[in-house]
Amino acid sequence: MTAEVLHIGEVARRTGLSVHTLRLYERAGLLAGEVRRDEAGRRVYSAWDVEWLGNCVKFRASGMPLATISRLARLVREGTGNEAERLEVLREHQSRVTERLAQLRDCLDLIDGKVAAYERHLAADGTGEPWQRQPDQTLKRNSTTSPSRMT
């Protein structure tokens, strides 16, 4: 059984990466395997290369720097024995992604609140200012606070 051989155009189609980006990834050392060439000197890729590139696409989408992907690819190319270092690289990135997700959740909560307020405003015939407090929502003045500040 022979392994599937793919040329750069097919790999670009399968990964969503441009041919230019695939060449850049090769030069930057982002591929976990050696890029082989056919008799005509054209790059040939395996299904495993496509799978790895799919991982790279997701790593990049999650904000992983090219230098980190390159480091991980180098570790994979080196073979077994460095799994603890690979895990460290992935855990560091996992931590950054988790932190970013928390920030995005906070942003989404704000946006959800704004969307709900505008939906309520428009459902009520859009009269008045959307952010003007209704009489029953008016905040009471705190006696220790200056008249210009509401608590």
Side-chain angles (χ1 to χ4, degrees), residues 6 11 14-17 22 25-26 28-36 45-61 64-78 82 86-87 89-90:
L6 305 164
V11 173
R14 289 187 184 194
T15 62
L17 297 169
L22 288 168
Y25 276 23
E26 179 185 352
L30 302 184
L31 297 171
E34 199 64 37
V35 175
R36 297 171 321 279
Y45 300 85
S46 68
W48 188 86
D49 293 325
V50 172
E51 183 179 340
W52 173 260
L53 287 163
N55 292 341
C56 291
V57 168
K58 290 179 182 177
F59 290 150
R60 287 296 294 148
M64 185 181 278
L66 292 178
T68 304
I69 297 172
S70 178
R71 178 179 174 204
L72 190 57
R74 178 183 49 79
L75 292 169
V76 171
R77 281 192 307 272
E78 288 174 0
N82 60 21
R86 294 182 210 182
L87 178 59
V89 170
L90 291 169

Side-chain angles (χ1 to χ4, degrees), residues 123-140:
D125 299 326
T127 57
E129 283 293 319
W131 300 106
Q132 183 177 1
R133 294 191 181 274
Q134 301 303 316
D136 62 322
Q137 295 176 329
T138 304
L139 297 173
K140 297 179 183 176

Side-chain angles (χ1 to χ4, degrees), residues 138-151:
T138 304
L139 297 173
K140 297 179 183 176
R141 292 180 192 256
N142 184 328
S143 60
T144 60
T145 307
S146 69
S148 65
R149 297 204 49 193
M150 302 293 283
T151 56

